[in-house]
Amino acid sequence: MYSTLSKKKEPFRTVRPGKVGIYLCGPTVYDKAHIGHMVGPVIFDCIKRYLKYCGYDVTWVVNITDVDDKLIHKANERGISMLDVAEENIADYHFNLDALGVDSVDHFPRATECMDEIIAIVETLIEQGFAYASAGDVYFEVSKDAQYGKLSNRSVTEMQGEGGGTADRKRGLADFALWKSAKPGEPAWDSPWGQGRPGWHIECSAMSRKLLGETFDIHGGGLDLVFPHHENEIAQSECCHGKPMVTYWTHNGLLRASSAAGKVGGRAERDSTEPAPGEVASVTGEAPTSATAEEAASGKMSRSKGAGGLAQLIARQGGERIRFFLLRTHYRSTVLFNEPAIEEAGVGLEGFYRLFKRYTRITGKSFYDLTAADKRAAGEFAPAGDAVLTAVATCRKKFITAMDDDFNTGGATGELFELAKIINKHCDEQKLEETGTPAATAVATLEKSLSTLKEMANLLGFFLVAPVQSGGSSDALLGQVMQLVIDLRSESRAKKNFATADTIRDCFGPLGIVLEDRAGGTEWSGGSADTLDGVMQLLIKLRQAARVGKDFVTSDAIRDRLAALGVTLEDRAGGTEWSKS
RNA sequence: GGCGCCGUGGCCAAGUGGCUAAGGCAACGGAUUGCAAAUCCGUCAUCCCCGGUUCGAAUCCGGGCGGCGCCUCCA
């Protein structure tokens, strides 16, 4: 496991045997989350899953900063309370985490709930001479901490800033606030130094101690938090406790807009005035979709990243695609964010969904109901000379090796694809779909292989629940498909092929659809949630009838027109299936 | 200016001293299909440049060139 403190990978060892404490810096909830806020949660969700798989008892804490200057400003701006601003954005944050499959966080402590702990640490730091009160504020005196700068590799003299607006209250310009006195009307808490609120850095020292202890295993956050936030946390906690705060400081890479310098949500993005024309198209080599193209090409993608944008992105792409997009690469590397890249990731994912359907066709069972080993040792198995299972076991081993190497989810993902190919090949070679009753041993191999795939996918948090059929577009699709059926019927009638025309109408009865032939054309009404599939089945039946009658013009027309609507048909031994792209 | 990171095929990306440089997307050829789709098989890179260390480097060192982050709120 890599540590920012030592700048190298170190063997994994825990503070307490068998237990792991993880603290991840969460959001300051003054506004909606953007996709950059999801990188840490997604990777740490994987880390927790993997450590549990390896047998550790893991406690994962993600803090919520719900008191801060930005929150106060936002509340004043909107004329509501700071608490209301926080609640609203916390709800948004949780919605986003859920959508991306991040469900393993144990505690979401809020700064406002930890005032006693915060004040206690500040008091201790003052007693020990590391901090001083000044005009109602309390500052940490950086020069008193000989270790200050060890995380970000800076010396105090290098960091002499201008001290900000409170420079006149500080002994040293690099000193930072532990406690800030309240201005009239601002949210405030009682303290030995008067009414005020905590500084940003101290809350993390307090919350981590409260939930994980004075020394814990892993502390994470974005690379942009190394300085000053984490540097200051170390200073506070280690001076207060006289012992190391964290064994592994873990920092994820930042998301970058594909066509603009600067991280997503960062300063460069806001300041960017020079567009980079044509850049986005060169990233993927394909024409991006309208809205994203404009935003990316102009260098500002705020709508697709900022307020509400993440929820919309999730609505368009689905959480699993976004998660997959984020985990395809190593967590410490910079990721270029653009929507076509997420779509591309989704194409890869669909291969897995098709494999799961294939499994269902063969066995009548669902991949999502398969049981998989949830412990590393339990997943070990002997291939017993079976060539397929031998390949599966090799894949699993490579996957684990990748995860063991600083949680290399990118490398591990490759093995997932490799495994899918092995399984598809097995299905092909054993003709599991063609034969009515496939050999039991071949099916057993299939199930074992898929169970192993599931074991691996679980660690990355993929395929936990079946993807939901697109609900919003289905109504529009139904209308289009119905028009197609009606056209077909009209053609049949025109050709005096009344048998087909009547078949169509007769089949609509059970679906609750009524057809009415009027002067201006045929109208339809009725239908329910299951209608679309019923209509599709009818179309499939009509196409089959045309094929049997060698009427390939009609059968191909049906398929092509459905393709134009984004519906693909797949002919298989057991019948034809349809799916919406 | 200080402290760091990165540069692998058309695109994304793993690999950080040693078998034929994973995997995905795209493309092309083949098997399969009435034609398709799906699936499988195959084709497609010597790793930004220069120099050095080494029996041996994409991987280590030095120097270039190019991109990026932090130093101020930030996942």
Side-chain angles (χ1 to χ4, degrees):
Chain A
M1 180 159 191
Y2 183 86
S3 172
T4 307
L5 195 54
S6 64
K7 293 186 176 52
K8 62 185 184 197
K9 289 179 194 171
E10 299 171 23
F12 189 69
R13 58 183 200 286
T14 61
V15 176
R16 279 152 292 181
K19 293 192 186 299
V20 179
I22 304 176
Y23 185 92
L24 174 68
C25 281
T28 300
V29 286
Y30 68 98
D31 207 344
K32 300 279 188 287
H34 59 68
I35 185 170
H37 291 121
M38 296 294 110
V39 179
V42 165
I43 179 62
F44 277 93
D45 185 64
C46 281
I47 289 175
K48 175 167 177 183
R49 287 169 189 277
Y50 191 66
L51 291 175
K52 277 179 71 180
Y53 176 73
C54 293
Y56 292 99
D57 178 14
V58 184
T59 304
W60 180 21
V61 177
V62 177
N63 77 289
I64 304 279
T65 300
D66 61 350
V67 51
D68 156 279
D69 291 351
K70 286 190 197 171
L71 272 142
I72 294 171
H73 291 153
K74 186 64 92 175
N76 291 340
E77 198 178 293
R78 297 180 53 189
I80 58 178
S81 74
M82 188 178 77
L83 184 67
D84 287 340
V85 172
E87 289 298 344
E88 187 179 301
N89 293 313
I90 288 170
D92 172 72
Y93 188 65
H94 281 118
F95 168 83
N96 294 324
L97 293 183
D98 284 350
L100 297 206
V102 177
D103 60 1
S104 62
V105 180
D106 296 291
H107 303 284
F108 288 102
R110 303 185 188 186
T112 54
E113 293 168 350
C114 301
M115 288 298 163
D116 293 346
E117 199 82 16
I118 288 169
I119 289 168
I121 292 181
V122 176
E123 285 186 306
T124 304
L125 286 170
I126 291 175
E127 283 164 21
Q128 293 174 330
F130 290 108
Y132 55 92
S134 175
D137 295 345
V138 180
Y139 294 95
F140 185 92
E141 191 163 5
V142 163
S143 60
K144 292 285 173 66
D145 176 14
Q147 303 246 54
Y148 192 75
K150 69 178 178 180
L151 182 70
S152 55
N153 192 24
R154 293 155 206 256
S155 69
V156 177
T157 50
E158 280 168 358
M159 288 178 295
Q160 294 298 350
E162 295 168 10
T166 55
D168 54 331
R169 300 182 194 175
K170 296 180 181 181
R171 292 181 187 170
L173 292 175
D175 293 353
F176 58 89
L178 299 175
W179 188 263
K180 298 178 173 183
S181 59
K183 298 187 187 76
E186 285 183 348
W189 284 259
D190 287 326
S191 80
W193 317 283
Q195 291 260 302
R197 62 179 183 276
W200 175 38
H201 315 296
I202 192 68
E203 63 182 68
C204 284
S205 286
M207 289 189 262
S208 62
R209 180 173 85 174
K210 184 174 179 182
L211 291 158
L212 298 172
E214 295 181 352
T215 301
F216 56 96
D217 303 289
I218 301 171
H219 188 133
L223 215 41
D224 52 352
L225 294 184
V226 172
F227 187 90
H229 187 52
H230 291 164
E231 192 70 71
N232 292 352
E233 271 186 58
I234 291 182
Q236 294 160 348
S237 293
E238 300 197 347
C239 288
C240 181
H241 305 132
K243 60 177 81 160
M245 180 186 187
V246 163
T247 310
Y248 305 97
W249 285 90
T250 306
H251 294 98
N252 59 266
L254 304 176
L255 240 41
R256 227 183 84 204
S258 60
S259 63
K263 64 194 175 186
V264 167
R267 180 180 53 183
E269 175 191 316
R270 296 194 297 272
D271 296 348
S272 172
T273 51
E274 289 300 312
E279 267 302 291
V280 74
S282 69
V283 169
T284 59
E286 63 184 64
T289 51
S290 55
T292 50
E294 286 172 25
E295 288 166 6
S298 72
K300 44 186 171 184
M301 302 173 64
S302 52
R303 272 180 296 156
S304 63
K305 297 177 305 195
L310 179 55
Q312 287 165 15
L313 183 69
I314 289 169
R316 284 196 300 275
Q317 299 292 343
E320 187 150 65
R321 278 187 175 195
I322 299 171
R323 184 179 180 109
F324 187 74
F325 168 74
L326 294 175
L327 290 174
R328 241 177 8 160
T329 175
H330 188 90
Y331 75 89
R332 279 191 283 121
S333 55
T334 302
V335 174
L336 291 178
F337 167 75
N338 60 79
E339 197 155 347
I342 295 182
E343 275 165 19
E344 189 220 288
V347 172
L349 226 33
E350 274 155 28
F352 290 97
Y353 300 147
R354 284 192 294 265
L355 173 59
F356 303 157
K357 283 187 182 173
R358 193 174 196 184
Y359 170 66
T360 300
R361 289 196 297 273
I362 293 168
T363 65
K365 292 186 272 190
S366 167
F367 169 83
Y368 296 93
D369 294 333
L370 271 173
T371 55
D374 63 354
K375 287 287 181 290
R376 187 169 175 157
E380 299 287 346
F381 67 95
D386 182 312
V388 173
L389 291 182
T390 300
V392 170
T394 301
C395 242
R396 178 179 176 278
K397 191 178 173 194
K398 285 178 165 176
F399 181 98
I400 289 174
T401 300
M403 290 298 284
D404 275 345
D405 182 11
D406 196 29
F407 310 105
N408 184 353
T409 57
T413 300
E415 298 307 321
L416 229 44
F417 279 99
E418 193 66 38
L419 185 47
K421 186 186 286 188
I422 291 168
I423 298 172
N424 268 318
K425 194 172 177 178
H426 175 246
C427 293
D428 280 2
E429 288 178 344
Q430 296 299 315
K431 299 192 192 308
L432 293 184
E433 291 192 74
E434 282 80 352
T435 49
T437 50
T441 52
V443 172
T445 297
L446 172 66
E447 296 208 327
K448 179 63 190 169
S449 305
L450 274 170
S451 169
T452 303
L453 173 64
K454 189 169 189 182
E455 175 187 344
M456 290 155 53
N458 280 167
L459 298 171
L460 298 177
F462 298 141
F463 318 135
L464 302 177
V465 292
V468 184
Q469 280 295 87
S470 57
S473 63
S474 61
D475 284 346
L477 179 62
L478 177 59
Q480 292 168 317
V481 170
M482 282 304 299
Q483 191 54 52
L484 169 54
V485 178
I486 287 167
D487 288 350
L488 281 169
R489 181 161 168 275
S490 299
E491 286 162 25
S492 300
R493 290 169 78 206
K495 286 187 237 168
K496 309 282 184 199
N497 182 354
F498 294 116
T500 299
D502 289 349
T503 299
I504 291 172
R505 190 165 57 194
D506 292 347
C507 285
F508 278 156
L511 295 172
I513 293 177
V514 179
L515 288 186
E516 294 179 13
D517 293 324
R518 297 183 190 283
T522 300
E523 287 181 5
W524 67 279
S525 59
S528 64
D530 300 322
T531 302
L532 182 59
D533 186 59
V535 175
M536 294 305 305
Q537 295 307 327
L538 169 61
L539 276 168
I540 288 166
K541 188 172 156 189
L542 289 170
R543 177 165 167 271
Q544 185 57 32
R547 289 168 77 200
V548 169
K550 304 286 185 204
D551 181 5
F552 291 123
V553 175
T554 300
S555 63
D556 287 359
I558 293 174
R559 189 181 62 204
D560 293 345
R561 288 189 55 178
L562 284 173
L565 298 176
V567 174
T568 36
L569 296 182
E570 295 177 20
D571 292 335
R572 303 187 183 285
T576 302
E577 285 195 0
W578 70 277
S579 59
K580 174 84 175 78
S581 63

